[in-house]
Amino acid sequence: MGSVDDGNGAPESLPPPPPVPSDTTLIKVEADMNKKKVVRVPMARRGVGSKGQKIQLLTNHFKVNVKNVDGHFFHYSVALYYEDGRPVDGKGIGRKVLDKVHQTYGSELADKQFAYDGEKTLFTVGALPRNKLEFTVVLEEVTSSRNNGNSSPGGPGSPNETDKKRLRRPYNSKTFKVELSYAAKIPMQAIANALRGQESEDSQEALRVLDIILRQHAAKQGCLLVRQSFFHNDPKNFTEVGGGVLGCRGFHSSFRTTQGGLSLNIDVSTTMIIQPGPVVDFLILNQNVKDPFSLDWVKAKRTLKNLRVKTSPTNQEYKITGLSERPCREQTFTLKQKTKDANGEPETTEVTVYDYFVNQRNIDLRYSADLPCINVGKPKRPTYFPIELCELVSLQRYTKALTNFQRASLVEKSRQKPQERMSVLTNALRISNYDAEPMLRSCGISVNNNFTQIEGRVLPTPKLKVGNGDDVFPRNGRWNFNHKKLVEPAKIEMWALVNFSARCDVRNLIRDLIKCGDMKGIMVEQPFDVFEESPQFRRAPPLVRVEKMFEQIQAKLPGAPKFLLCLLPERKNCDIYGPWKKKNLSDFGVVTQCMAPTRINDQYLTNLLLKINAKLGGLNSLLSLERTLPLVSKVPTIILGMDVSHGSPGQSDVPSIAAVVSSRQWPLISRYRASVRTQSPKVEMIDSLFKPVSEKEDEGIIRELLLDFYVSSGKQKPDQIIIFRDGVSESQFNQVLNKELDQIIEACKFLDEKWSPKFLVIVAQKNHHTKFFQSGGSPDNVPPGTIIDSKICHPKNNDFYLCSHFGAIGTTRPTHYHILYDELGYNADDLQELVHSLSYVYQRSTTAISVVAPICYAHLAASQLGQWMKFEDASETSSGRGVSHAGTVPVPPMPKLDDNVRSSMFFC
């Protein structure tokens, strides 16, 4: 039967379906032929929590008033062509072309404002006069803000050509054809619907239009745009982080639907840019050399490619395509003369770039003669400039991975205390002046410039148990082991110390470690031996150093050691770390702890012993409530933490690493083990949870973890499975529920057809822009245990924000938890207590952490095994990796952990 659509997507002729009673469970209906698959969607909120001390807070959400909800956004596709019909591929030119269309053809566009995303999409409020419009515009001097590859500035190889052209006509003008074609219309009513919890494709699109308006507003002010953030060209916002790289401070702003209505979320944001100014200055900093004559030009060529420069004295802007083969005083090009030859063609002569600039253009060159020239032309038709005439343009992103030094420097310099952050944000809103934005005005949108006031609650701090039945009461999210023993100390026996050339008084270290262990209840025996690396191998490749060390160990020790303490020569990213860990954990099954001694004191040794104790199977502290937690302690329950780590932004072929950790020895929730696999680069969904290889065999992660739970928990299957998933955005929630959860359910069925455990699925997000501040001008961060589950949370879905840790520096970033699925029937208070408690069971530290321990452990396991892969990758030749038929690189499997350590907290 047909039905009429009334424009709201609801067929008019059908009555509404009867309401479903709230206690009904949906069952899968299985037809004979095909199984009807139930698609799961994120669950709605069941209620809010009430436990805890109330606290008044402010948040960086600014209320948005929307007056006009009757209109429509019209979506048009934008196509840009050159005069000869070639499509325009350069980014950044689009905005200039469409600005020109707006200026020139206002009346044909019915004088409408539009929101353009800079690429292929444009929105207007109300329709344009026709569904297809074509325009032609001429742009003078097309040096786009991003990319100058389209206008070929130099003539056939000569800087002179550009000059002659400039004298003859002041600009390189270009003609563009623009086509706008109607694509869709979006009712503004969809925004109002979303605020009532009825989200749809339309409401997401409508909010996208509002975000595009903000981006366009920033682009018109000359900002660099990076997703939802924008950065002004103001040196006040730049801070050096080393290597010719600057941190550039800007702002994130995006519209969010909340229970309190539509809000604009504004936050401070940082991106990395290349230091503007003379090219040589940047290269000297980037390569950390004394002067331009010590530069590695092969490296410089890679670094400079595609960056934009301004050349003096004309201030033209170009894009670097490469460097000249020869230095400036030797590099020649063909210069056309004013005189003609016998055929009436201009005569040509070969001239060096240096001579041309010094003698014909009368430009004094101080140091370029012996350095390569910058090429801004095409590879076949180069255009050369001496390097000292080239300055890097401001606001060019630096996209390579930062070194540890740069990252530390950036973190230190971009910290802001809560008060400072609030004043910076208030200022940002003032500068942005959104009320003057014509598109926003035509939608009837205005932004309130006060922080939104909300009420939070501070949850009671969980009590901890340590050794000798003592209790510890954390204060301000912290506790210590002074005069306390660990709850279950391990024994450090049959061990040895391995020193990879770290300068350290090894005897003192051993003595202090034994003494500190004694105070914590850990029996540390004298080591069998101390293995010093032989000086002849210190310069050898990391793999060789590790192999040689193991030869020494095997030759001298009476049997396999139970534990190795390894001294590394430098702290972060030591290249021995990956090979050393793999050798121990995968090849020999030996627990190992690495350290890089700088200042060794009691605190350092205590932290070291906490990690060693956890790795050797001990427990440092337990929740007092560990065996009586609501819903977890009564029924066998396994807790999973899931995370995927990807290579750094520049690496597209490094496999991603999926890690899942699981709790063991129920009813404990403090002991975990990990299972780690590689998967295709940049893939966020974990694909190896269930991996049947035959009728009986499943090589997936989940089976391995379930079997371990069964063995370690007195032969009990878990009736409840609680899943914490890290690192997915809202757009991926449905995949977590329908792809990952499906695989987990399949793995359970494969193990035992009759067994159907209940599930709770929670996503934790750290990567968002909501911050909280104490009201009344307190300079401190919000107290640990602060929870918010109203007003700025989702209009319908079940989410809350929790600051479980003590924010000592900067502004605390809360974790945003989304409960996607709950068959356990938790009430809000019990669920929030469980999440809060899981922030106190992290064995590596004596503080509450900012996100639940199982997620932290998954993160640690993925990054540690990522270090293994890093050097595996480097040690094989690139041809050895083989290419599959599809042309993609097959993903190398993760080396397996040895049985001895497989169930340990090796990642701790």
Side-chain angles (χ1 to χ4, degrees):
M1 134 185 175
S3 68
V4 190
D5 193 317
D6 67 359
N8 279 338
E12 273 181 353
S13 54
L14 295 177
V20 179
S22 60
D23 57 357
T24 312
T25 318
L26 294 177
I27 11 179
K28 295 191 182 181
V29 182
E30 294 189 4
D32 293 343
M33 292 297 289
N34 59 342
K35 292 191 175 181
K36 262 269 186 64
K37 189 161 163 4
V38 172
V39 175
R40 303 181 193 91
V41 294
M43 67 180 283
R45 184 185 305 280
R46 290 190 185 137
V48 293
S50 60
K51 275 191 182 161
Q53 188 84 38
K54 291 191 169 146
I55 181 172
Q56 296 305 313
L57 302 169
L58 298 171
T59 178
N60 58 341
H61 283 234
F62 298 86
K63 186 157 176 47
V64 177
N65 299 309
V66 189
K67 290 207 179 63
N68 170 12
V69 287
D70 305 331
H72 285 79
F73 289 120
F74 280 74
H75 171 186
Y76 294 87
S77 296
V78 179
L80 301 178
Y81 302 97
Y82 293 111
E83 212 167 359
D84 58 7
R86 281 180 307 132
V88 174
D89 51 0
K91 274 190 179 173
I93 258 178
R95 287 196 192 273
K96 296 201 162 163
V97 173
L98 276 143
D99 283 347
K100 190 76 180 191
V101 167
H102 200 254
Q103 285 165 21
T104 320
Y105 297 101
S107 53
E108 284 88 332
L109 295 164
D111 290 321
K112 279 201 179 303
Q113 300 293 335
F114 50 63
Y116 173 52
D117 73 349
E119 302 201 5
K120 298 194 163 72
T121 313
L122 177 147
F123 295 95
T124 56
V125 178
L128 292 175
R130 293 197 304 287
N131 279 352
K132 187 150 190 176
L133 294 150
E134 293 188 12
F135 304 105
T136 305
V137 290
V138 177
L139 277 198
E140 260 105 53
E141 194 194 4
V142 185
T143 48
S144 79
S145 61
R146 302 258 136 193
N147 169 335
N148 187 27
N150 310 315
S151 57
S152 159
S158 92
N160 185 32
E161 282 295 304
T162 328
D163 270 344
K164 276 198 188 153
K165 275 190 187 163
R166 194 173 294 111
L167 295 172
R168 265 206 313 276
R169 73 174 187 220
Y171 292 113
N172 294 323
S173 58
K174 270 264 157 102
T175 303
F176 294 91
K177 291 203 285 241
V178 183
E179 286 176 10
L180 304 182
S181 338
Y182 168 77
K185 73 175 186 178
I186 305 146
M188 289 189 196
Q189 182 60 40
I191 296 175
N193 295 348
L195 293 171
R196 290 201 297 273
Q198 300 162 339
E199 282 193 1
S200 60
E201 295 261 317
D202 274 350
S203 65
Q204 282 162 359
E205 274 296 284
L207 290 174
R208 192 176 139 230
V209 178
L210 297 183
D211 284 335
I212 287 171
I213 296 173
L214 297 189
R215 282 177 63 89
Q216 174 174 283
H217 185 62
K220 285 191 169 144
Q221 297 172 349
C223 291
L224 162 68
L225 306 181
V226 183
R227 294 187 295 281
Q228 298 293 107
S229 296
F230 36 84
F231 303 89
H232 289 269
N233 188 11
D234 178 353
K236 279 208 306 289
N237 299 336
F238 301 165
T239 163
E240 289 182 31
V241 297
V245 180
L246 307 180
C248 173
R249 206 170 71 188
F251 300 99
H252 161 94
S253 69
S254 61
F255 286 97
R256 317 271 311 164
T257 50
T258 69
Q259 293 169 10
L262 190 63
S263 70
L264 182 63
N265 176 204
I266 300 185
D267 195 16
V268 177
S269 169
T270 304
T271 192
M272 311 316 300
I273 60 170
I274 302 265
Q275 175 170 312
V279 172
V280 163
D281 292 1
F282 163 68
L283 289 174
I284 287 172
L285 284 169
N286 185 252
Q287 297 189 14
N288 193 16
V289 293
K290 296 192 304 294
D291 54 45
F293 306 103
S294 324
L295 287 164
D296 171 343
W297 290 101
V298 175
K299 202 168 155 193
K301 183 175 174 179
R302 275 203 311 270
T303 312
L304 293 176
K305 193 168 165 54
N306 291 336
L307 292 178
R308 302 188 319 277
V309 283
K310 270 216 211 66
T311 57
S312 54
T314 55
N315 254 356
Q316 273 278 78
E317 197 176 296
Y318 302 109
K319 184 167 158 187
I320 299 177
T321 49
L323 296 174
S324 60
E325 295 289 315
R326 302 206 297 282
C328 183
R329 69 160 92 240
E330 296 170 25
Q331 182 65 52
T332 58
F333 65 92
T334 309
L335 180 64
K336 289 184 185 170
Q337 302 288 74
K338 297 206 169 57
T339 51
K340 304 263 196 296
D341 64 10
N343 304 327
E345 293 291 315
E347 287 185 329
T348 59
T349 167
E350 286 293 305
V351 56
T352 69
V353 177
Y354 183 81
D355 283 345
Y356 167 75
F357 276 92
V358 171
N359 299 328
Q360 308 215 6
R361 299 272 303 272
N362 296 324
I363 292 171
D364 183 26
L365 295 179
R366 289 175 327 193
Y367 59 78
S368 297
D370 298 310
L371 303 179
C373 306
I374 299 272
N375 178 14
V376 297
K378 301 272 189 290
K380 293 260 189 323
R381 291 173 41 201
T383 304
Y384 295 120
F385 282 98
I387 199 159
E388 73 189 74
L389 300 184
C390 298
E391 292 221 344
L392 288 160
V393 175
S394 191
L395 290 188
Q396 302 192 67
R397 280 185 79 194
Y398 177 80
T399 51
K400 296 186 180 56
L402 295 181
T403 64
N404 282 318
F405 174 76
Q406 287 173 324
R407 187 173 293 111
S409 167
L410 175 69
V411 166
E412 190 186 341
K413 289 177 177 171
S414 51
R415 277 184 198 138
Q416 287 175 316
K417 284 283 189 205
Q419 292 302 81
E420 186 193 345
R421 187 170 286 242
M422 283 179 81
S423 70
V424 167
L425 293 178
T426 307
N427 204 22
L429 197 56
R430 209 188 63 240
I431 295 168
S432 302
N433 192 10
Y434 288 130
D435 291 341
E437 213 305 313
M439 269 299 272
L440 290 179
R441 288 170 81 165
S442 60
C443 310
I445 283 180
S446 60
V447 182
N448 183 329
N449 41 21
N450 294 327
F451 285 75
T452 298
Q453 295 196 342
I454 50 172
E455 186 175 81
R457 291 171 290 116
V458 182
L459 298 178
T461 308
K463 193 168 67 172
L464 299 175
K465 278 236 171 304
V466 292
N468 299 341
D470 285 353
D471 285 336
V472 170
F473 298 89
R475 290 178 58 114
N476 229 348
R478 303 163 167 210
W479 63 97
N480 62 44
F481 279 106
N482 295 351
H483 318 300
K484 299 262 191 288
K485 304 260 195 263
L486 305 185
V487 70
E488 282 183 32
K491 215 171 166 186
I492 303 183
E493 53 187 1
M494 292 177 63
W495 70 285
L497 191 140
V498 170
N499 186 9
F500 283 101
S501 65
R503 279 195 287 276
C504 169
D505 183 339
V506 176
R507 294 283 149 225
N508 270 346
L509 172 66
I510 292 167
R511 189 195 66 218
D512 293 346
L513 191 69
I514 292 174
K515 197 169 98 197
C516 188
D518 186 49
M519 288 163 65
K520 303 287 168 274
I522 295 181
M523 159 72 183
V524 185
E525 290 185 351
Q526 282 291 337
F528 263 122
D529 212 332
V530 172
F531 295 96
E532 294 281 353
E533 181 174 40
S534 137
Q536 71 198 74
F537 298 125
R538 280 182 199 167
R539 294 258 176 279
L543 275 168
V544 175
R545 294 175 71 178
V546 168
E547 286 299 331
K548 293 290 177 203
M549 185 61 86
F550 260 93
E551 283 169 19
Q552 262 199 75
I553 294 171
Q554 282 171 302
K556 271 186 124 174
L557 287 186
K562 284 193 177 168
F563 171 68
L564 289 174
L565 181 61
C566 171
L567 306 189
L568 296 175
E570 69 259 20
R571 275 196 58 200
K572 293 280 186 193
N573 275 12
C574 177
D575 55 5
I576 302 172
Y577 181 86
W580 173 257
K581 285 284 183 186
K582 178 179 180 288
K583 193 82 182 157
N584 277 274
L585 297 171
S586 183
D587 302 358
F588 286 101
V590 175
V591 175
T592 174
Q593 174 66 47
C594 293
M595 62 184 283
T598 40
R599 288 200 310 273
I600 297 180
N601 53 21
D602 259 11
Q603 187 60 57
Y604 183 95
L605 291 174
T606 300
N607 289 345
L608 194 75
L609 282 165
L610 292 179
K611 295 167 78 167
I612 296 172
N613 191 46
K615 286 176 177 170
L616 288 171
L619 264 181
N620 302 330
S621 59
L622 279 175
L623 288 169
S624 291
L625 290 174
E626 189 125 355
R627 297 169 196 279
T628 57
L629 266 175
L631 293 182
V632 174
S633 309
K634 297 188 179 57
V635 182
T637 303
I638 186 171
I639 298 174
L640 305 180
M642 306 187 358
D643 188 25
V644 177
S645 82
H646 307 288
S648 53
Q651 307 169 304
S652 53
D653 57 345
V654 177
S656 288
I657 293 170
V660 183
V661 302
S662 61
S663 61
R664 49 202 312 265
Q665 298 182 352
W666 178 82
L668 294 186
I669 57 166
S670 290
R671 277 219 164 100
Y672 292 83
R673 77 186 294 270
S675 178
V676 187
R677 304 276 198 281
T678 47
Q679 57 184 36
S680 302
K682 306 283 182 247
V683 172
E684 185 51 59
M685 288 301 124
I686 302 178
D687 60 14
S688 47
L689 296 168
F690 175 53
K691 254 198 163 145
V693 285
S694 69
E695 291 284 300
K696 290 270 191 300
E697 274 184 292
D698 160 20
E699 286 182 356
I701 292 176
I702 295 299
R703 181 187 181 95
E704 181 186 321
L705 300 179
L706 289 172
L707 291 173
D708 172 77
F709 181 89
Y710 183 75
V711 172
S712 72
S713 305
K715 301 224 160 41
Q716 301 199 69
K717 290 191 185 110
D719 290 327
Q720 300 182 146
I721 298 182
I722 298 177
I723 299 163
F724 285 96
R725 178 67 161 95
D726 187 25
V728 290
S729 62
E730 275 145 69
S731 59
Q732 296 165 314
F733 286 178
N734 287 346
Q735 285 175 285
V736 170
L737 282 175
N738 295 296
K739 284 192 174 160
E740 290 185 339
L741 184 55
D742 262 2
Q743 281 190 67
I744 295 171
I745 291 170
E746 295 267 344
C748 293
K749 286 270 170 276
F750 196 87
L751 205 68
D752 177 352
E753 188 56 51
K754 298 192 204 51
W755 168 53
S756 48
K758 292 184 167 147
F759 288 93
L760 168 62
V761 180
I762 301 176
V763 165
Q765 288 176 334
K766 292 280 288 175
N767 215 355
H768 59 81
H769 288 277
T770 296
K771 299 283 192 308
F772 299 114
F773 306 91
Q774 298 212 38
S775 57
S778 159
D780 298 329
N781 271 308
V782 298
T786 300
I787 195 161
I788 291 94
D789 61 359
S790 60
K791 197 148 180 185
I792 59 149
C793 291
H794 193 279
K796 184 181 100 194
N797 294 358
N798 195 354
D799 66 331
F800 62 85
Y801 292 90
L802 174 63
C803 300
S804 47
H805 66 300
F806 171 70
I809 43 181
T811 304
T812 300
R813 176 180 294 190
T815 299
H816 192 183
Y817 291 98
H818 303 259
I819 296 89
L820 300 189
Y821 192 73
D822 177 15
E823 296 179 314
L824 280 53
Y826 260 111
N827 68 38
D829 278 326
D830 285 349
L831 186 77
Q832 291 169 8
E833 183 186 359
L834 171 73
V835 171
H836 188 218
S837 299
L838 281 169
S839 310
Y840 279 81
V841 301
Y842 189 56
Q843 298 294 308
R844 277 168 57 125
S845 70
T846 53
T847 60
I849 50 175
S850 61
V851 66
V852 290
I855 279 181
C856 281
Y857 290 145
H859 193 72
L860 288 174
S863 56
Q864 184 174 132
L865 275 85
Q867 295 284 343
W868 295 16
M869 297 308 288
K870 219 187 234 168
F871 87 88
E872 283 274 291
D873 191 40
S875 63
E876 289 175 33
T877 53
S878 51
S879 58
R881 289 180 59 181
V883 174
S884 67
H885 295 301
T888 53
V889 178
V891 178
M894 181 62 74
K896 288 223 179 325
L897 288 158
D898 185 272
D899 287 349
N900 286 344
V901 293
R902 186 166 296 160
S903 299
S904 75
M905 288 176 70
F906 68 86
F907 42 80
C908 211

